[in-house]
């Protein structure tokens, strides 16, 4: 349209820049020049009365040329006057303000490539024929002109042009004027709005929700996105009212739509059931929807329609209903269980379930609508010593904090009574639509505790009886043993006497039985001392190899009767600090055990440093011990073989283990059936401080 440099008194080389703006322009005022008189063509106007011509009016105005020049110069409308061949003759300051410079001499309006491409060059040529024309708004960039060198500062603008002829006094069109209007801002805004509308339409079309725009009280579909049409079985919705498009829609849902139109307030329906023939095939079904109703307002602020956004949540509803059914089924199963069970929220510790057994124990329905902080008012729980637990120490709160309870014993004071409980807990992680939960089963061990108390009392009574009985038996047995020893010495002194001939064997047998009975009584006394905590140790330096040799020497006669050879292997010259009497008892018990169960085979005793400090090994080649009984034989009154074949009360190894542990050591057995047994005792050289 215009390019740098040009006529009309404009210096060549001036910069030419565009101005933003969009509007429509009307024709400018008539321009005159010395020697010529131009006027607008008025031949198309109806002649009602013959007004005075502009020339006549100007004739009465002093210096009319200056008047017209001022009008042209100060007009806010950009003007350019072109010759009939399209070259620029005049431009006003508003034109220069819009474009920055006048067109150069080589520029021709009718040869403008941009105008020619748009068809506007021919449109403007019609002005030469006397027509008044106006172009639409279009984008114009001088840099796209091939026959004009555009400055670097030039930029693209949107303009609208109005061309009108300038007629000489002779009646012919000799020039044409073009009025411009900068439409850049308006056109940019319009195009941005169009882009925004296209983007919004694309979003609505591709949205993963069923979306519609309804207008008027009759609720006519102005827009329905493809997803909504698909969900409605491909029905034609746009342009039809809701009742026409979906005749089986419930009146309640229609009222919900119209309620938004009447109130102008947003409405939300959650999991709303809609029962219609979705596929249009005569099959009615119910689906669940989350629907948002948003009112639309016109330019006056009045509600004239609404937008609906619908989310099909049928699968979620069915899934939740299935979970709820499973939950009810699980609760019914738990209610049938005889074991009390409660569940707690791991985040807050609040109880959210209790089965029937737990409620019966409580005497009422366990409260679940109270915060954890108020549990002290509803739950009275004490430890076994009777101290009341704080809210933080309640088993449910401890389990909710992540602590795993395993047989925690407490007393629960409820409206139904006082119960002793054994409580466990396990955290079940979130799965299958269920949140994580802490499961707390517990057992009513009140009766067990009562029985346990009675048993403890019976054990104490038994221990007291054993202690008293052992002491009472110890005195006569000692006297009897001394008398028998006197008889034995007398017999040994005169083996040929009548007493020796008649009662020698009986006296020896009686002495062995009294000795065995005394050992049993000693064992009972030791058990009594251990059970009542009255076992005392007297520590002193002890030469272990010497002690073992002495004990082995005392068992030589018994070993000979059992057909066993005693083999003692020992390291000389090391000692430790132990209770000598109790250590002798340990060695005696193990050696006696080996002779009893390993009769007829050698018995090996080995003493050496090692392990914790000193190691004692007693090995026989007897009947052996089943591995399953290895731990059991060290318990009170336990045996690995039948009492019918081997005598004893099952106390020897129990007493031995207790004494070894009291000395700070350990005892183990290595044995297989038929392969004998090896007992290994390890002792520290010094007692623990």
């Amino acid at each position: 349209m215009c390019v740098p440099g040009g006529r009309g008194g404009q210096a060549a080389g001036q910069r030419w820049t565009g101005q933003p703006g969009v509007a429509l322009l009307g024709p400018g005022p008539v321009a005159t020049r010395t020697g010529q008189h131009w006027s607008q063509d008025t031949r198309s106007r109806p002649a009602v009365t013959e007004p005075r011509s502009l020339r006549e009016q100007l004739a009465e105005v002093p210096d009319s040329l200056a008047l017209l020049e001022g009008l042209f110069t100060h007009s806010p409308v950009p003007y350019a006057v072109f010759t009939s061949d399209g070259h620029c003759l005049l431009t006003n300051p508003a034109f220069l303000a819009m474009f920055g410079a006048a067109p150069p001499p080589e520029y021709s309006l009718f040869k403008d490539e941009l105008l020619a491409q748009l068809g506007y060059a021919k449109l403007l040529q019609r002005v030469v024929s006397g027509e008044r024309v106006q172009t639409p708004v279009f984008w114009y960039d001088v840099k796209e002109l091939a026959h004009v060198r555009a400055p670097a500062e030039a930029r693209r603008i949107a303009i609208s042009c109005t061309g009108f002829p300038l007629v000489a006094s002779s009646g012919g069109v000799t020039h044409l004027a073009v009025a411009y209007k900068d439409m850049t801002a308006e056109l940019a805004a319009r195009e941005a709005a169009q882009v925004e509308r296209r983007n919004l339409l694309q979003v609505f079309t591709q949205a993963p929700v069923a979306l519609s725009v309804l207008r008027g009280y009759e609720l006519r579909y102005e827009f329905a996105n493809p997803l909504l049409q698909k969900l409605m079985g491909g029905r034609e919705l746009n342009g039809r009212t809701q009742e026409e498009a979906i005749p089986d829609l419930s009146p309640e849902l229609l009222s919900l739509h119209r309620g938004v139109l009447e109130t102008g307030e947003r409405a939300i329906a959650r999991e709303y059931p809609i029962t219609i023939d979705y596929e249009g095939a005569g099959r009615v079904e119910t689906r669940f929807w989350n629907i948002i109703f948003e009112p639309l307002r016109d330019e006056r602020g009045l509600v004239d329609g609404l937008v609906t956004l619908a989310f099909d949540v049928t699968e979620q509803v069915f899934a939740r209903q299935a979970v709820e059914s499973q939950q009810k089924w699980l609760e019914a199963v738990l209610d049938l269980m005889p074991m009390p069970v409660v569940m707690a929220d791991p985040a807050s510790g609040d109880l959210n379930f209790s089965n029937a057994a737990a409620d019966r124990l409580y005497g009422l329905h366990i409260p679940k609508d109270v915060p954890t902080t108020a549990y002290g008012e509803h739950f009275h729980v004490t430890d076994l010593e009777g101290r009341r637990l704080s809210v933080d120490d309640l088993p449910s709160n401890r389990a909710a904090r992540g602590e795993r309870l395993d047989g925690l014993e407490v007393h629960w004071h409820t409206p139904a009574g006082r119960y002793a409980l054994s409580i466990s807990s396990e955290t079940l992680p979130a799965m299958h639509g269920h949140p994580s939960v802490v499961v707390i089963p517990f057992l009513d061990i009140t009766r067990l505790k009562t029985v346990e108390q009675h048993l403890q009392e019976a054990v104490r009574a038994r221990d007291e009886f054993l202690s008293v009985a052992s002491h009472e038996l110890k005195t006569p047995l000692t006297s009897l043993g001394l008398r028998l020893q006197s008889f034995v010495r007398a017999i040994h002194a005169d083996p040929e006497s009548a007493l020796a001939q008649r009662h020698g064997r009986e006296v020896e047998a009686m002495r062995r039985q009294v000795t065995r009975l005394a050992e049993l009584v000693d064992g009972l006394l030791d058990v009594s001392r251990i059970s009542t905590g009255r076992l005392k140790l007297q520590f002193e330096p002890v030469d272990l190899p010497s002690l073992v040799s002495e004990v082995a020497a005392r068992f030589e006669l018994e070993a000979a009767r059992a057909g066993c050879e005693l083999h003692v292997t020992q390291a000389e010259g090391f000692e430790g600090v132990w209770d000598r009497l109790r250590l002798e008892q340990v060695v005696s018990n193990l050696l006696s055990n080996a002779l009893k169960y390993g009769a007829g085979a050698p018995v090996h005793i080995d003493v050496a440093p090692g392990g914790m400090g000193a190691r004692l090994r007693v090995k026989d080649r007897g009947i052996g011990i089943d591995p399953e009984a290895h731990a059991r034989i060290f318990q009170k009154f336990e045996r690995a073989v039948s009492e019918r074949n081997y005598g004893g009360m099952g106390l020897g190894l129990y007493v031995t283990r207790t004494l070894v542990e009291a000395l700070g050591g350990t005892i183990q057995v290595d044995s297989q059936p038929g392969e004998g047994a090896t007992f290994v005792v390890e002792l520290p050289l010094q007692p623990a401080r």
Side-chain angles (χ1 to χ4, degrees), residues 654-665:
Y654 165 72
V655 172
T656 300
R657 176 185 65 83
T658 305
L659 294 176
V660 168
E661 291 176 352
L663 293 170

Side-chain angles (χ1 to χ4, degrees), residues 36 54 85 97 115 119 154 156 200 252 276 287 307-308 370 372 402 427 468-469 484 539 542 594 596 665 676:
Q36 292 183 333
L54 181 60
D85 59 358
L115 295 178
R156 184 171 178 258
L200 186 60
E252 292 80 5
I276 60 172
R287 294 183 185 174
V307 176
T308 65
V370 296
T372 307
T427 299
V468 172
L484 287 173
F539 289 97
V542 178
K596 179 190 297 185

Side-chain angles (χ1 to χ4, degrees), residues 12 213 293 314 421 466 519 616 622 665 670:
V213 177
F293 304 88
T314 305
L421 304 181
L466 289 176
E519 290 174 352
L616 169 68
D670 181 16

Side-chain angles (χ1 to χ4, degrees), residues 331 338 364 437 443 450 493 508 551 630 654 658:
E331 291 179 0
L364 302 167
V437 66
L443 291 172
T450 302
E508 181 62 27
V551 175
H630 284 184
Y654 165 72
T658 305

Side-chain angles (χ1 to χ4, degrees), residues 641-673:
V641 295
S642 172
E643 185 179 356
R644 184 173 302 173
N645 299 322
Y646 296 91
M649 299 177 63
L651 294 174
L653 289 178
Y654 165 72
V655 172
T656 300
R657 176 185 65 83
T658 305
L659 294 176
V660 168
E661 291 176 352
L663 293 170
T666 61
I667 183 169
Q668 295 178 337
V669 62
D670 181 16
S671 179
Q672 293 290 336

